[in-house]
Amino acid sequence: MKTIDIIGVQMDLGASRRGVNMGPMAIRYGGLCEGLEQLGFAVNDLGDIAPLVTGATAPYMRNYEQVIELNRRLYQMVAAALEQDHFPVVLGGDHSIAAGSISAAARHYRNIGVIWIDAHGDWNNEESTPSGNMHGMPFSAVCGHGPDCMVDFGGPPALVDVRRCVQIGGRDIDDRERLRMKRAGVTVFPINTIDKLGMQAVIGQAIDIAGTGTEGIHLSFDIDAIDPQAAPGTGTVVHSGLTVREAFLAVESLADSGKLVSMDMVEVNPILDERNKTAILASQLIQSALGKAVY
C-alpha cells in the first residue's frame, strides 16, 4: 500500500493578496484525506508549516527571508517523505512553495520533469519582476534561472533540466518573463494552443517531454489555471481559463501515465471562495491525479 504524505504550507507572503495561507485546511475540508483513503492509500497527514513571524524584505523580492526559510523546511519534509518511498502532496499556500518541493524531488530522483499548470509563467527573477512577488519566480528558480536564493538549501542546488519542463494554460505572462522563457527553452502550451489542439493532445505532448528519459514527473498545479467561474477562490484571477473537464483530463492523463512522483496544489484562497467550491475542486483534482477513475 502506497503512503501519501500530506504537507500543508501556510504561506501567503509570496503573493500580493493575503489568504492562501488558509488553503491547506480548506482543501482538507474538501474531503482530500478521506478520498485518498477510499482509493486505498495510507494517508499520513503531517500538518502545516508556517513562515517566520517577521523577516527581511526587498522591493524586488518581497518577504524573501520568510519565503526562503519556509521553503528550506518544506524541502526537508519532502526529502524525508521521498526517502521513505512516500508520495508527497504539498498543499499551498502561494506558488513560491514549489521552490522547496521541486528542489527536494529533483535532489532525490536526480532527473525529473516538471509540468506546471498555471495561468502565469512564474518565470520571473529579481530583475524581471514587475511586482516583487516571489510566487512569480519559483519555476525560473528550480531551472537555474534565478533567484538563486530560492533554491539554496545547502550544497549545490538540484536543478531541473528546462528541456524537461512544460508550462500549460498560461494566459497572463509578463513581457520580460515571456522573453526569458523563450530564451531558456521551456515548452509552453498557452491557453490559445489548448483551444487549437485540445487538452488531450497537449497533455500527451507534455507527458512525453517531461517523462521521457526522466525518473518521473512533478506536477505543480495552480488553481488559477482554471476559469474563475469554476474556481473563484484564488487571488490572481485571470478570465478565460481551463474548463473543469480540461483540468481533470490533464490530471487523469498524468495518473494513467504512471510517471507522477510528487505534486503541489496551490493558490486556493478560502477568503475569496464560494462555499469552499474551489478547495473541493482542488481536493478532487489531487485525487484524480492519484488514480481516482470516472468509471
Side-chain angles (χ1 to χ4, degrees):
M1 179 188 295
K2 188 71 173 180
T3 298
I4 307 293
D5 279 0
I6 306 293
I7 305 169
V9 189
Q10 295 182 18
M11 168 59 78
D12 65 359
L13 297 171
S16 56
R17 299 188 72 170
R18 307 302 297 271
V20 290
N21 61 321
M22 295 182 283
M25 190 56 67
I27 297 171
R28 289 186 182 93
Y29 285 152
L32 178 62
C33 295
E34 298 87 345
L36 292 174
E37 288 170 348
Q38 289 174 8
L39 291 174
F41 294 108
V43 178
N44 186 22
D45 190 343
L46 301 178
D48 292 355
I49 53 176
L52 299 170
V53 175
T54 60
T57 189
Y60 299 109
M61 288 196 299
R62 297 174 63 237
N63 306 308
Y64 71 85
E65 186 174 14
Q66 292 156 293
V67 169
I68 293 166
E69 191 276 337
L70 184 61
N71 267 302
R72 182 174 291 109
R73 282 187 281 148
L74 176 60
Y75 170 90
Q76 293 166 350
M77 292 185 72
V78 172
L82 293 169
E83 287 168 7
Q84 298 174 75
D85 196 32
H86 295 178
F87 186 103
V89 174
V90 179
L91 308 178
D94 69 60
H95 217 158
S96 67
I97 67 174
S101 60
I102 294 175
S103 293
R107 174 74 67 190
H108 181 83
Y109 288 105
R110 302 295 179 184
N111 181 23
I112 64 167
V114 173
I115 293 180
W116 194 278
I117 300 179
D118 197 332
H120 307 91
D122 293 352
W123 201 271
N124 277 304
N125 65 4
E126 63 271 40
E127 296 177 355
S128 67
T129 176
S131 67
N133 294 329
M134 294 189 73
H135 70 163
M137 304 180 187
F139 199 8
S140 172
V142 299
C143 292
H145 291 263
D148 296 341
C149 59
M150 288 189 82
V151 291
D152 182 7
F153 304 114
L159 301 176
V160 181
D161 184 347
V162 71
R163 295 171 297 178
R164 297 290 176 260
C165 292
V166 183
Q167 201 283 347
I168 295 176
R171 57 192 192 278
D172 186 20
I173 299 175
D174 301 322
D175 290 340
R176 295 181 67 186
E177 180 183 35
R178 182 183 299 108
L179 291 174
R180 297 185 78 244
M181 296 180 84
K182 289 182 177 180
R183 289 169 183 162
V186 61
T187 300
V188 180
F189 293 104
I191 194 69
N192 59 332
T193 299
I194 297 169
D195 293 340
K196 295 173 184 176
L197 301 181
M199 179 57 82
Q200 184 173 9
V202 166
I203 195 63
Q205 292 182 52
I207 291 169
D208 284 345
I209 293 166
T212 301
T214 66
E215 298 301 312
I217 297 171
H218 178 98
L219 170 64
S220 202
F221 198 119
D222 187 325
I223 204 70
D224 71 21
I226 301 173
D227 191 86
Q229 289 189 343
T234 190
T236 314
V237 172
V238 187
H239 67 83
S240 304
L242 299 178
T243 68
V244 170
R245 272 310 310 155
E246 285 172 333
F248 274 106
L249 177 56
V251 297
E252 289 161 1
S253 298
L254 274 164
D256 290 342
S257 76
K259 296 179 182 293
L260 201 60
V261 295
S262 50
M263 70 175 295
D264 317 310
M265 179 62 69
V266 303
E267 299 284 358
V268 172
N269 191 328
I271 293 175
L272 304 174
D273 208 358
E274 300 169 3
R275 302 182 65 172
N276 214 37
K277 66 184 290 186
T278 307
I280 292 169
L281 175 58
S283 168
Q284 292 172 343
L285 287 165
I286 294 168
Q287 294 172 56
S288 293
L290 292 171
K292 184 177 181 180
V294 174
Y295 178 73

